[in-house]
Amino acid sequence: MLRTSHLSRKGIVFSQATFHSNKNSHCCRAYLQRQGVSWEKTCKTKMCSLERHGKIFLLKFMEENEHRFTPELCSDILSALKTVEQSDARALVTTNDGKFYSNGLDLEWMKEDAATRFPLLLREFERVVYHMMKLNVPTIAAVCGHAAGGGFLFAMAHDYRYMRSDRGFLYNSAVDINVVLPSGSIALQRTKLSPQVFRDVVLKGIKYTGVEGFGAGLVDSLFEGPTQTLEQAMREANVLADKPWEKPAYQGLRMAMYSDAIHKLELDVDQGLHAEDMLKEI
């Protein structure tokens, strides 16, 4: 249920807006239809592909665009993660075409009806991050371009991040667009970053190049260009896949390592996101 109180002149301010989700149902499509919003208009073409390469699955954000998260893209990623989880594959690598890994949530799509679409899209995005953190195989992000906003958070949800050294930046844009991230997204960054880098990422909105990100611990390895970045990520994924771990053990260890973030992401998704004071101006 969504309740909206008022709009401010400077931006959209929600004082009483709550979107409640059902724990056992992905109701995004039905909800949009009830609100008179066309699901198909959220993303006209499929934006990601999933390919099997031996023991490895490769999920790629396709085509030359910003790869912004829409409800449909979130649904496609969740479907891909389910395929990986239920298969006998042993690792997942994600990467991108073009100059963007992902430029975050689709703000232009949200602006058309922010009171409805903002809590909806943020909830669906956090559902993606939550399931990535719970996946039962190793995950590597081969970041071959800019990763900003939600793209930054999605990359941080992986076990490892490989990045090209010649192009691209890592950037949490929340402070610059006046969005208060929910507790799950904040907890994710807290668990993955050192205290000083966590502070600077969230409160300063620093843009890190690949080299700077490597120095700050955001990136595990740097390579020249997108081809070498992806090749090395796939090579490492095969090394990880050949280790003798069993899926329940790998999954359980990661969930124990990041239990606070996973728990808070689960609460955000299952109990619904409160738009009150989250979105000040976009």
Side-chain angles (χ1 to χ4, degrees), residues 225-273:
T227 300
Q228 189 177 5
T229 301
L230 179 56
E231 286 177 351
Q232 293 299 322
M234 294 294 288
R235 181 175 299 176
E236 178 64 15
N238 276 290
V239 171
L240 295 171
D242 286 339
K243 292 183 178 293
W245 50 267
E246 296 183 359
K247 287 188 174 184
Y250 192 93
Q251 181 185 48
L253 286 168
R254 188 202 291 115
M255 292 180 66
M257 287 175 64
Y258 306 123
S259 59
D260 180 63
I262 292 172
H263 174 66
K264 288 179 178 177
L265 285 164
E266 184 178 26
L267 290 178
D268 287 347
V269 170
D270 291 346
Q271 296 183 5
L273 292 173

